[in-house]
């Protein structure tokens, strides 16, 4: 490992204050880089940081733009710092993968939280596929944990596949909802709802009665799905959990106590008997295979013999002269 990279690792794991913060920022920039020489260095840094990682509570948070995610994360972050925690906030933003622009990262967000020495906020990396952006966020999470952040919040915009990616890298997945649940519920895919370990109906201050109505509608929808959030996807199936639906006002900070109480209860339940560790091992394995498959697809498309043969073979399939499965086997045979 290069001497300056070793210094970065030491400053992250043993340093503190502004020195550690700068080192953390440098490491994450390196991890996000797409240059091949940077990637080789980044892999070494990542492996060196890995033993010091894994000790945080990983919370995923999703909801439509405007639901109050950044307001909630800021209130929650300040609430947790006041209780002695160190909080990191990362983002997986599908808009940054599609356009290079970012719904989550562009606005000046969470200024009060950003000013806290115990907080670290990193906007979403831009460009690349959603898988690539999510991968970088996972790696940034390792770096933040190695720096001693014991709570990592991964935020995403609830507009697509990114919820699945975020649920797949966190211990607790939280869905934020607006109080007009009747209409909203239509818009949220059942699949996304079922990912939630906990639902927060935000902006309850605007119309408390509507918030309570939304709370009971969402709770009954979850019951009818038989939803159990992450617990559904645990092979052990040992965790009996009905995702709670809470009302909150991110603006006033009401509901944070309740939220943290439920989050902690969840963590303890999921952790009993090493359940959380097992889940993380499964997440790592799933992620590894997801990355292998997407890497293979890229290499396949870039392979010279495949590139040369692809137009003709595709044409044969289109013309009905070759079966799709035969074409696939022929192309795969060219890929060594
Ligand atoms: P995001 O796009 O989900 O990150 O949403 P923001 O946190 O940027 O919030 C969108 C708007 O809703 C902002 O104007 C916030 O001030 C406002 N907002 C957020 N939470 C609340 C809340 O609990 N009550 C009220 N009344 N407004 C809120």
């Amino acid at each position: 490992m290069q001497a300056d990279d070793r210094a970065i690792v030491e400053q992250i794991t043993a340093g503190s204050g502004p020195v550690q913060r700068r080192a953390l920022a440098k490491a994450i920039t390196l991890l996000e880089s797409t240059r091949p020489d940077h990637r080789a260095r980044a892999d070494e840094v990542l492996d060196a940081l890995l033993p010091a990682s894994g000790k945080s509570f990983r919370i995923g948070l999703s909801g439509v733009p405007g639901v109050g995610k950044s307001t909630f994360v800021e209130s929650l972050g300040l609430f947790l710092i006041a209780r002695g925690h160190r909080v990191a906030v990362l983002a997986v933003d599908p808009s940054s993968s599609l356009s290079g622009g970012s719904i989550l990262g562009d606005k000046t967000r969470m200024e009060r939280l950003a000013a806290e020495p115990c907080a670290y906020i990193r906007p979403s990396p831009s460009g690349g596929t959603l898988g690539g952006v999510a991968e970088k966020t996972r790696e940034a999470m390792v770096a933040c944990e190695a720096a001693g952040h014991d709570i990592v919040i991964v935020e995403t915009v609830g507009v697509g596949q990114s919820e699945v990616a975020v649920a797949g890298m966190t211990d607790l997945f939280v869905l934020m909802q607006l109080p007009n649940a009747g209409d909203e519920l239509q818009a949220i895919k059942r699949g996304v709802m079922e990912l939630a370990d906990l639902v927060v109906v935000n902006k309850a201050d605007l119309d408390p009665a509507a918030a309570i109505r939304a709370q009971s509608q969402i709770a009954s929808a979850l019951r009818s799905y038989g939803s159990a959030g992450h617990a559904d996807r645990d092979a052990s199936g040992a965790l009996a959990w009905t995702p709670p639906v809470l009302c909150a006002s991110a603006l006033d900070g009401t509901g944070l106590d309740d939220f943290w109480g439920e989050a902690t209860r969840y963590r303890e339940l999921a952790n009993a008997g090493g359940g959380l560790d097992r889940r993380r091992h499964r997440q790592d394995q799933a992620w590894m295979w997801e990355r292998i498959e997407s890497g293979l697809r890229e290499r396949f498309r870039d392979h010279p013999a495949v590139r040369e043969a692809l137009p003709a073979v595709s044409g044969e399939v289109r013309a009905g002269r070759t079966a799709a499965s035969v074409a696939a086997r022929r192309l795969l045979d060219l890929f060594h």
Side-chain angles (χ1 to χ4, degrees):
M1 192 188 301
Q2 291 183 10
D4 43 349
D5 290 347
R6 190 166 301 122
I8 287 178
V9 169
E10 271 162 25
Q11 285 163 358
I12 289 176
T13 49
S16 62
V19 172
Q20 184 191 49
R21 221 182 161 79
R22 265 197 304 280
L24 185 55
K26 275 193 207 159
I28 296 178
T29 302
L30 184 64
L31 293 168
E32 287 176 358
S33 171
T34 48
R35 273 177 44 182
D37 57 325
H38 283 178
R39 190 62 253 176
R41 284 172 51 202
D43 285 352
E44 285 185 336
V45 167
L46 193 61
D47 273 347
L49 292 174
L50 198 63
S53 73
K55 295 182 196 76
S56 80
F57 186 22
R58 302 168 178 173
I59 302 173
L61 181 74
S62 179
V64 294
V67 69
K69 291 180 295 300
S70 37
T71 311
F72 185 75
V73 170
E74 175 156 65
S75 300
L76 179 66
L78 293 168
F79 171 95
L80 293 172
I81 285 171
R83 281 155 186 78
H85 294 287
R86 299 188 61 206
V87 178
V89 181
L90 304 170
V92 173
D93 186 346
S95 61
S96 76
S97 2
L98 292 173
S99 64
S102 169
I103 298 181
L104 287 170
D106 283 350
K107 29 182 182 163
T108 310
R109 306 162 77 240
M110 306 181 220
E111 283 171 353
R112 280 186 306 146
L113 185 60
E116 286 288 333
C118 285
Y120 184 80
I121 301 174
R122 183 87 181 183
S124 182
S126 64
T129 58
L130 172 60
V133 168
E135 163 107 47
K136 286 164 188 168
T137 306
R138 273 181 167 253
E139 294 182 353
M141 177 155 74
V142 168
C144 290
E145 289 179 347
H149 289 284
D150 64 331
I151 310 280
V152 180
I153 302 173
V154 184
E155 183 185 353
T156 193
V157 189
V159 291
Q161 272 300 301
S162 58
E163 293 93 341
V164 178
V166 170
M169 67 174 88
T170 51
D171 304 322
L172 175 85
F173 185 70
V174 180
L175 193 61
M176 281 187 82
Q177 293 276 276
L178 291 165
N180 53 338
D183 317 328
E184 274 306 302
L185 219 50
Q186 311 296 317
I188 295 167
K189 288 191 219 82
R190 173 173 169 176
V192 171
M193 261 306 204
E194 284 173 330
L195 293 173
D197 299 307
L198 212 160
V199 178
V200 173
V201 179
N202 191 37
K203 305 198 186 186
D205 57 297
L206 291 178
D207 185 346
I212 289 169
R213 268 198 310 279
Q215 182 184 29
S216 73
Q217 278 172 347
I218 295 168
S220 86
L222 287 173
R223 265 196 308 277
S224 76
Y225 301 160
S227 186
H230 266 113
D232 266 349
R233 301 185 295 286
D234 274 359
S236 66
L239 178 60
W241 179 259
T242 307
V245 183
L246 309 173
C247 290
S249 165
L251 205 59
D252 304 346
T254 49
L256 287 175
D257 258 326
D258 263 6
F259 174 85
W260 192 241
E262 290 294 342
T264 310
R265 187 167 74 86
Y266 183 82
R267 186 186 193 183
E268 281 162 7
L269 256 178
N271 212 10
L276 223 42
D277 282 344
R278 280 199 299 280
R279 175 182 305 167
R280 286 179 175 191
H281 292 151
R282 267 195 303 281
Q283 289 179 336
D284 281 344
Q285 292 291 318
W287 191 255
M288 185 183 79
W289 280 106
E290 201 271 340
R291 294 283 81 201
I292 289 173
E293 280 159 23
S294 101
L296 277 175
R297 206 171 301 125
E298 246 167 61
R299 285 183 198 189
F300 179 77
R301 285 180 178 280
D302 283 347
H303 191 275
V306 172
R307 271 168 63 167
E308 201 189 317
L310 192 60
V313 177
S314 303
E316 292 283 303
V317 174
R318 256 198 309 278
R321 282 192 293 272
T322 305
S325 57
V326 175
R329 269 194 293 280
R330 227 170 253 164
L331 289 168
L332 282 168
D333 282 343
L334 296 173
F335 179 59
H336 295 296

